[in-house]
Amino acid sequence: MNREIIACGMLACALTGCGGGETASVLDAHATAQLRAVLSREPRLPDGFTVRPDQAWRVPFGQADRNCRAMLEPAGGQAPGRELTAQAAVTYRGDGLGEQAGVGLARYAGDAAEDRLDDLAEALESCRMVRGPDGTDLRPQELEIEGTWDEAVAARLQGRLNGYPYTMDVVLSRVDDTLVSVVHTGMDAVDTGRTRDVVEAVISMATA
């Protein structure tokens, strides 16, 4: 048996979960390209946001427990992998000080998007604080936000990042088989209405 066949067999096991009890994710190249195309359309974002997207958003701190990271990573293109079929992520920059909107779309097989949102809701509820030796101290609190999604959970992390005032709204929502993840950040204040408008704009892009 040659090396190519062995390598292909190992890759197939990795993708399909050989010997495991869970359904592994197999990313669909065409579906992934579709989600990337969705995020490259000109969005109807609130005034002050650029319409040209940047690369995927990155969690701005190095130290955080697994629950806090789990609820933030989908907006950066690292959505939960089980039964994931496609994902894409970008960042839009606003005109406020330190203002960014990190956006992630993740599509799932069957009803798995609902299950993954439940998992993320548990992570969000279990995230107690983000604290680091660099002057980072962010505390989550409940964020009440309503929109046109099927279901959603949200939180606001507020405090200091690297010693500077910082606020981050996190909204994890589901529309059909797609998880829509948005983080809206800024130095000091972040407007909840503006956060909702960003989420609504992304959902309208994803469902157009």
Side-chain angles (χ1 to χ4, degrees), residues 40-116:
S40 56
R41 297 172 188 160
E42 185 170 317
R44 296 181 179 178
L45 293 170
D47 290 343
F49 276 100
T50 59
V51 295
R52 173 176 288 182
D54 290 335
Q55 294 180 347
W57 179 79
R58 298 180 63 182
V59 178
F61 38 77
Q63 295 185 355
D65 72 21
R66 64 183 183 84
N67 290 305
C68 296
R69 294 195 73 86
M71 76 174 189
L72 295 173
E73 287 178 341
Q78 299 181 62
R82 189 151 52 104
E83 297 179 274
L84 178 69
T85 61
Q87 71 174 324
V90 297
T91 301
Y92 300 99
R93 298 189 181 275
D95 58 1
L97 182 62
E99 186 177 27
Q100 292 183 311
V103 173
L105 298 179
R107 187 165 292 162
Y108 289 88
D111 297 328
E114 186 173 354
D115 295 333
R116 298 295 78 75

Side-chain angles (χ1 to χ4, degrees), residues 178-202:
T178 302
L179 178 69
V180 179
S181 305
V182 171
V183 294
H184 178 207
T185 73
M187 307 302 289
D188 203 9
V190 168
D191 182 69
T192 303
R194 196 164 166 85
T195 299
R196 183 193 60 245
D197 291 345
V198 171
V199 179
E200 294 280 16
V202 176

Side-chain angles (χ1 to χ4, degrees), residues 79-207:
R82 189 151 52 104
E83 297 179 274
L84 178 69
T85 61
Q87 71 174 324
V90 297
T91 301
Y92 300 99
R93 298 189 181 275
D95 58 1
L97 182 62
E99 186 177 27
Q100 292 183 311
V103 173
L105 298 179
R107 187 165 292 162
Y108 289 88
D111 297 328
E114 186 173 354
D115 295 333
R116 298 295 78 75
L117 183 58
D118 288 343
D119 295 340
L120 291 170
E122 290 182 11
L124 183 149
E125 187 175 351
S126 299
C127 175
R128 302 302 182 193
M129 71 175 68
V130 175
R131 178 177 289 174
D134 56 359
T136 294
D137 188 353
L138 299 170
R139 307 297 177 100
Q141 62 191 58
E142 184 179 356
L143 180 65
E144 294 186 5
I145 190 166
E146 296 182 356
T148 59
W149 40 77
D150 292 333
E151 54 182 333
V153 293
R156 167 168 288 181
L157 278 73
Q158 195 164 28
R160 291 188 173 273
L161 176 69
N162 299 327
Y164 295 96
Y166 191 76
T167 302
M168 175 190 299
D169 285 352
V170 185
V171 182
L172 305 166
S173 59
R174 181 185 65 83
V175 180
D176 296 328
D177 63 352
T178 302
L179 178 69
V180 179
S181 305
V182 171
V183 294
H184 178 207
T185 73
M187 307 302 289
D188 203 9
V190 168
D191 182 69
T192 303
R194 196 164 166 85
T195 299
R196 183 193 60 245
D197 291 345
V198 171
V199 179
E200 294 280 16
V202 176
I203 288 176
S204 68
M205 293 163 63
T207 57

